[in-house]
């Protein structure tokens, strides 16, 4: 039989660890919502307009800021999904730079494909995080 002091100490330690987990989870759940909203805003950009590629690049700056917060809040969780988002985001940025300097059919097609790949990586990340919220 445990003494009341040992039982109280165990309860305190377990309770504190659960509260810490809950706060970290709440932070990542909130930051992924903001990240997803910024991605959704980028999806609304009309890339066929005269400022479309520039608008997309500007929107991606906000996406990157919000992604950095998700990484901070997620700590080491979701590392494979975050890596996929990073890789696809870098590919997208490169394809947009190319499309901006040489707006040909091929470069715009490559940018569209990179955008779809990025969207898939974002969906996988947000689904994984939201399943824990």
């Amino acid at each position: 039989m445990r003494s009341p002091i040992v039982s109280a100490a165990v309860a305190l330690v377990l309770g504190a660890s659960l509260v810490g987990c809950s706060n970290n989870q709440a932070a990542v759940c909130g930051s992924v919502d903001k990240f997803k909203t910024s991605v959704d805003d980028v999806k609304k950009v009309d890339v066929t307009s005269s400022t479309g590629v520039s608008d997309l690049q500007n929107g991606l700056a906000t996406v990157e800021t919000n992604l950095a917060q998700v990484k901070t809040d997620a700590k080491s969780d979701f590392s494979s999904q975050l890596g996929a988002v990073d890789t696809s985001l870098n590919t997208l940025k490169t394809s947009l730079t190319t499309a901006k300097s040489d707006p040909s059919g091929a470069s715009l097609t490559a940018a569209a494909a990179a955008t779809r790949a990025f969207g898939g990586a974002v969906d996988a990340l947000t689904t994984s995080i939201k399943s824990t919220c």
Side-chain angles (χ1 to χ4, degrees), residues 28 32 35-36 39 66-67 70-71 74 77-86 118-132:
V28 76
V32 81
F35 170 67
K36 181 70 169 134
V39 170
N66 292 336
L67 178 59
V70 171
K71 289 177 185 177
D77 296 334
F78 313 105
S79 59
S80 64
Q81 295 92 339
L82 284 164
V85 169
D86 275 336
F118 175 66
V122 167
D123 288 344
L125 173 65
T126 57
T127 299
S128 292
I129 292 175
K130 286 300 197 177
S131 72
T132 66

Side-chain angles (χ1 to χ4, degrees), residues 1 5 15-17 23 27 31 50-51 57 68 72 79 81 83 90 93 113 126-127:
M1 185 164 160
I5 293 174
S17 68
N23 288 339
S31 62
S50 61
T51 60
Q57 286 177 314
T72 298
S79 59
Q81 295 92 339
N90 288 331
K93 287 171 29 182
T126 57
T127 299

Side-chain angles (χ1 to χ4, degrees), residues 40-130:
D40 289 343
D41 289 344
V42 166
K43 288 180 181 179
K44 295 175 189 172
V45 172
D46 179 9
V47 294
T48 62
S49 75
S50 61
T51 60
V53 173
S54 293
D55 292 343
L56 212 50
Q57 286 177 314
N58 292 335
L60 287 177
T62 302
V63 166
E64 284 184 289
T65 299
N66 292 336
L67 178 59
Q69 187 61 52
V70 171
K71 289 177 185 177
T72 298
D73 294 342
K75 304 196 184 321
S76 63
D77 296 334
F78 313 105
S79 59
S80 64
Q81 295 92 339
L82 284 164
V85 169
D86 275 336
T87 299
S88 62
L89 179 59
N90 288 331
T91 301
L92 176 57
K93 287 171 29 182
T94 299
S95 68
L96 289 176
T97 300
T98 301
K100 189 172 183 179
S101 65
D102 176 28
S104 66
S107 66
L108 294 173
T109 299
T115 302
R116 285 189 299 276
F118 175 66
V122 167
D123 288 344
L125 173 65
T126 57
T127 299
S128 292
I129 292 175
K130 286 300 197 177

